[in-house]
């Protein structure tokens, strides 16, 4: 085996492993001293809100060196439960509060909207809800059936567990098992590239990333939903139907550090973080 | 150093087992092969289509890349003029150094639309096989090249003395003498193909299904983990660790097989 010399570097197998261990410690009580907040804030809940909250948290920590912001995921229901039992200072919930949850207080920090996108070479101008459902359940599989060219439809869907898929299927009353995709994608960017490269594809992405791509020479177009144009402006003023609020919830009226953080998350200082994460800032 | 590497491998296996143990105990291993489909959020965990995806993509790529890789190593060594051979080697080395995400990106914006024109949707088993072929070709070529270099020169002189032609020398003497090295190259290429994630994720379409032809999209085990890990919780997350464990078992079997094959060859 004289060729060991070349084998050695080649055979270093790359085994990567994500050590994602949630270290759940009980939150230390938020320090009440008003002008220089100190202590630790624990946020738990929705995996949609978590990346945003964690970015806002980093910025907050940078401006308040005495504070640590700990963000943990586990779904909106965990956010509700933890905030209610005060296991967490703030719960993260990616929907409006239900009637049974009115004991909690919700603060919207951003909105999430999704738009259906198609290639700009596709002559189809709009699709109604019925058509979208039929396309995603494979009852319609040619663009001819919805007024387009005679070409098979490539259905682009999101991977299971993604919040965009959750919002999409919730809005169109689709079960994830019933969706018959031709391509499954991970993040928004991959969805945009897939639709841009395939004139017969239809997909859906977060409205922020879709609008950015469509206005920056990417050959895709955003379809209107129920006659409302898909745009950040329409999500922000509440007219666009496929959207939901991203909320921070607390057990009672927030005080001290908790209040300061929530105010910070809703202020102008956090708005660019919201846009970076392809969410829509709330109109103040 | 070697001990440390071994310890890390063991730790990773231990970690995988540790993460998967709760789900294996509560729902059992059989469900991962008998469930009707893969819908982890509604507790359906069939991994078989993805196992097929991984195997088909890998086998396809290895079947195409092996003859090409060995042929180009032979070309470099025994047929090409020195200048062309050196240039060719540099190019192959460059090919080996391109990051997988670049291959994936190229596949997504160039290869997939081309395949899509022949048979939509384009993102397919075929696209995955072609991209992986490109990625493992340099590995196989370079290892084959090195093992051809290590064929003892007296063999070649012996062939020349017997008046053997170039092809007869290559076919009758060089290839059998270098076979162990060539096989190692193929095994390394296979390992790389099985573990490749990013490029495959971008071009394969990732639909969970057992493909009926090469134009249908598939999802591999690695792509499954990368796609869903960021948003998975509870059983869903544990099921992804089972994907990882299955992948580990495949690689383990591959290594053992390579070892047995090579051992046979040395004593023959």
């Amino acid at each position: 085996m004289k060729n060991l010399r070349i084998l050695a570097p080649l055979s270093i197998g790359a085994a990567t492993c994500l050590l994602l261990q949630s270290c759940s410690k009980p939150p230390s009580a938020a320090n009440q001293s008003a002008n220089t907040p100190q202590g630790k804030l624990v946020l738990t809940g929705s995996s949609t809100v978590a990346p945003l909250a964690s970015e806002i948290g980093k910025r907050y920590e940078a401006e308040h060196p005495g504070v640590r912001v700990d963000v943990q995921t586990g779904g909106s229901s965990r956010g509700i439960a933890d905030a209610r039992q005060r296991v967490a200072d703030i719960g993260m919930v990616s929907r409006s509060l239900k009637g049974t949850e009115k004991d909690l207080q919700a603060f919207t920090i951003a909105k999430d909207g999704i738009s259906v996108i198609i290639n700009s070479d596709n002559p189809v101008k709009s699709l109604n809800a019925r058509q979208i459902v039929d396309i995603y359940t494979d009852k319609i599989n040619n663009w001819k059936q919805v007024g387009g060219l005679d070409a098979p439809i490539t259905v682009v869907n999101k991977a299971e567990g993604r919040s965009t898929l959750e919002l999409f299927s919730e809005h169109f009353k689709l079960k994830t098992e019933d969706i018959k995709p031709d391509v499954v994608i991970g993040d928004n960017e991959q969805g945009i590239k897939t639709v841009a490269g395939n004139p017969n594809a239809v997909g859906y992405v977060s409205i922020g990333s879709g609008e950015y791509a469509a206005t920056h020479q990417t050959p895709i177009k955003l379809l209107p939903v129920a006659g409302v144009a898909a745009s950040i402006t329409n999500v922000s003023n509440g007219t666009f139907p496929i959207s939901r609020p991203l909320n921070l919830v607390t057990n009672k009226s927030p005080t001290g550090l908790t209040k300061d953080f929530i105010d910070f998350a809703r202020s102008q200082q956090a708005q660019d973080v919201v846009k970076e994460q392809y969410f829509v800032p709330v109109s103040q | 150093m070697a001990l440390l590497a071994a310890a890390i491998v063991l730790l990773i296996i231990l970690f995988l087992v540790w993460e998967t143990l709760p789900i294996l105990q509560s729902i059992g291993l059989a469900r991962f092969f008998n469930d009707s489909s893969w819908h982890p959020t509604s507790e359906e965990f069939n991994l078989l289509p993805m196992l097929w995806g991984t195997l088909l993509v890998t086998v396809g790529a290895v079947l195409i890349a092996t003859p090409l890789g060995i042929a180009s190593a032979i070309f470099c060594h025994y047929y090409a003029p020195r200048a062309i051979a050196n240039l060719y080697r540099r190019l192959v080395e460059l090919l080996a150094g391109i990051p997988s995400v670049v291959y994936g990106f190229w596949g997504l914006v160039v290869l997939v639309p081309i395949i899509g024109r022949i048979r939509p949707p384009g993102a397919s088993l075929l696209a995955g096989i072609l991209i992986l072929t490109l990625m493992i070709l340099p590995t196989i070529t370079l290892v084959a090249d090195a093992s051809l270099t290590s064929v003892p020169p007296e063999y070649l002189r012996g062939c020349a003395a017997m008046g053997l032609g170039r092809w007869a020398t290559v076919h009758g003497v060089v290839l059998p003498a270098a076979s162990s090295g060539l096989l190692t190259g193929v095994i390394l290429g296979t390992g790389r193909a099985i573990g490749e994630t990013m490029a495959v994720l971008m071009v394969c379409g990732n639909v969970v299904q057992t493909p009926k032809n090469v134009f249908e999209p598939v999802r591999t085990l690695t792509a499954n983990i990368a796609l869903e890990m960021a948003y998975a919780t509870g059983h869903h997350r544990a099921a992804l660790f089972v994907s990882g464990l299955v992948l580990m078992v495949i690689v383990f079997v591959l290594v053992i097989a390579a070892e047995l094959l090579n051992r046979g060859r040395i004593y023959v």
Side-chain angles (χ1 to χ4, degrees):
Chain A
M1 292 291 282
K2 282 181 192 163
N3 50 9
L4 257 176
R5 198 160 30 98
I6 192 152
L7 289 189
L10 280 169
S11 57
I12 300 170
T16 40
C17 204
L18 287 169
L19 278 148
L20 301 159
Q21 272 163 340
S22 58
C23 38
S24 39
K25 284 183 202 131
S28 56
N31 199 312
Q32 303 286 326
S33 62
N35 33 11
T36 50
Q38 291 219 322
K40 189 180 172 196
L41 262 182
V42 176
L43 285 79
T44 65
S46 160
S47 56
T48 316
V49 190
L52 174 63
S54 130
E55 283 304 311
I56 295 177
K58 275 182 206 152
R59 183 168 295 186
Y60 188 80
E61 283 173 348
E63 289 182 16
H64 304 85
V67 181
R68 259 208 17 83
V69 180
D70 185 10
V71 178
Q72 299 166 15
T73 59
S76 293
S77 38
R78 180 177 171 197
I80 295 281
D82 286 1
R84 193 174 268 157
Q85 292 158 13
R86 314 205 55 185
V87 177
D89 300 298
I90 301 173
M92 300 176 287
V93 181
S94 55
R95 53 174 169 76
S96 311
L97 289 184
K98 294 175 187 162
T100 55
E101 294 160 356
K102 291 296 180 203
D103 53 317
L104 300 171
Q105 293 210 352
F107 302 90
T108 305
I109 55 169
K111 281 184 173 178
D112 182 18
I114 57 172
S115 65
V116 175
I117 56 170
I118 58 174
N119 191 286
S120 29
D121 290 342
N122 194 324
V124 170
K125 292 269 186 307
S126 70
L127 294 168
N128 61 35
R130 181 83 239 137
Q131 289 169 324
I132 290 175
V133 169
D134 286 350
I135 286 172
Y136 269 84
T137 51
D138 213 23
K139 287 194 196 91
I140 293 179
N141 43 33
N142 196 307
W143 283 110
K144 206 168 50 176
Q145 292 164 274
V146 290
L149 305 168
D150 183 7
I153 301 178
T154 301
V155 176
V156 182
N157 196 27
K158 287 258 182 168
E160 198 140 336
R162 299 259 165 183
S163 57
T164 20
L165 167 63
E166 203 180 289
L167 177 53
F168 180 82
S169 51
E170 202 174 274
H171 178 84
F172 289 105
K173 309 268 181 300
L174 280 162
K175 273 205 257 157
T176 44
E177 293 95 307
D178 298 334
I179 297 179
K180 301 273 180 289
D182 297 308
V183 176
V184 177
I185 50 141
D187 56 10
N188 290 317
E189 211 42 50
Q190 197 188 355
I192 290 168
K193 291 277 181 325
T194 306
V195 174
N198 183 341
N200 302 318
V202 57
Y204 55 91
V205 290
S206 276
I207 213 155
S209 61
E211 189 169 290
Y212 180 86
T215 51
H216 286 77
Q217 271 94 41
T218 310
I220 60 163
K221 56 185 177 187
L222 284 65
L223 293 182
V225 174
V228 182
S231 70
I232 290 176
T233 326
N234 285 345
V235 171
S236 138
N237 64 25
T239 49
F240 189 73
I242 321 178
S243 77
R244 58 177 173 183
L246 304 181
N247 286 324
L248 297 182
V249 301
T250 56
N251 191 313
K252 52 184 175 66
S253 286
T255 52
L257 181 58
T258 312
K259 179 179 189 317
D260 199 50
F261 180 78
I262 291 177
D263 289 344
F264 180 83
R266 285 156 61 86
S267 71
Q268 284 301 322
Q269 287 162 287
Q271 295 304 292
D272 57 318
V273 183
V274 170
K275 283 184 195 141
E276 265 166 34
Q277 302 272 328
Y278 301 122
F279 292 126
V280 180
V282 254
S283 45
Q284 298 281 339
Chain B
M1 242 353 252
L3 268 181
L4 188 69
I8 288 175
V9 170
L10 282 180
L11 276 177
I12 289 175
I13 294 175
L14 259 177
F15 172 75
L16 279 175
V17 172
W18 176 257
E19 284 286 340
T20 51
L21 215 52
I23 193 171
L24 289 180
Q25 276 170 346
S26 65
I27 73 164
L29 188 62
R31 289 263 316 263
F32 288 95
F33 302 98
N34 294 331
D35 271 1
S36 55
S37 182
W38 168 265
H39 289 293
T41 43
S42 22
E43 303 270 303
E44 288 178 47
F45 299 112
N46 193 352
L47 289 176
L48 269 186
M50 288 175 270
L51 199 58
W52 277 116
T54 293
L55 290 179
L56 288 172
V57 169
T58 306
V59 169
V62 170
L63 282 184
I64 302 179
T66 302
L68 280 178
I70 293 177
S72 46
I74 292 173
F75 168 77
C76 262
H77 252 270
Y78 299 104
Y79 289 91
R82 175 161 294 176
I84 293 180
N86 274 335
L87 180 72
Y88 187 80
R89 260 185 217 124
R90 292 292 95 79
L91 283 177
V92 172
E93 279 164 12
L94 196 64
L95 206 59
I98 299 177
S100 70
V101 68
V102 175
Y103 280 108
F105 189 69
W106 178 80
L108 183 63
V109 299
V110 179
L111 189 63
V112 168
I114 292 175
I115 297 176
R117 238 167 277 154
I118 307 167
R119 264 297 269 287
S124 56
L125 176 59
L126 179 65
I129 289 177
L130 292 181
I131 286 290
L132 273 187
T133 302
L134 262 183
M135 292 186 65
I136 65 173
L137 187 64
T139 310
I140 295 181
T141 308
L142 291 176
V143 177
D145 196 55
S147 61
L148 292 185
T149 313
S150 69
V151 170
E154 48 268 36
Y155 286 18
L156 298 178
R157 277 186 234 119
C159 292
M162 285 190 288
L164 285 183
R166 204 177 278 179
W167 173 241
T169 309
V170 169
H171 175 253
V173 176
V174 171
L175 286 183
S179 66
S180 153
L182 298 180
L183 187 74
T184 314
V186 174
I187 301 282
L188 281 176
T190 314
R192 188 170 186 205
I194 287 182
E196 178 47 41
T197 309
M198 215 44 225
V200 172
L201 172 88
M202 290 166 95
V203 303
C204 273
N206 306 315
V207 178
V208 182
Q209 60 176 9
T210 312
K212 288 175 205 71
N213 61 55
V214 290
F215 293 105
E216 287 193 357
V218 291
R219 184 185 295 186
T220 63
L221 287 167
T222 47
N224 188 40
I225 299 175
L227 266 179
E228 299 190 354
M229 193 43 119
Y231 292 84
T233 49
H235 267 178
H236 184 184
R237 180 162 170 270
L240 294 180
F241 278 107
V242 177
S243 310
L245 198 64
V246 171
L247 211 52
M248 203 75 194
V249 170
I250 299 179
V251 174
F252 193 67
V253 169
L254 187 75
V255 169
I256 301 270
E259 183 64 28
L260 289 178
L261 273 173
N262 247 344
R263 191 174 294 167
R265 236 157 258 256
I266 285 166
Y267 292 113
V268 159

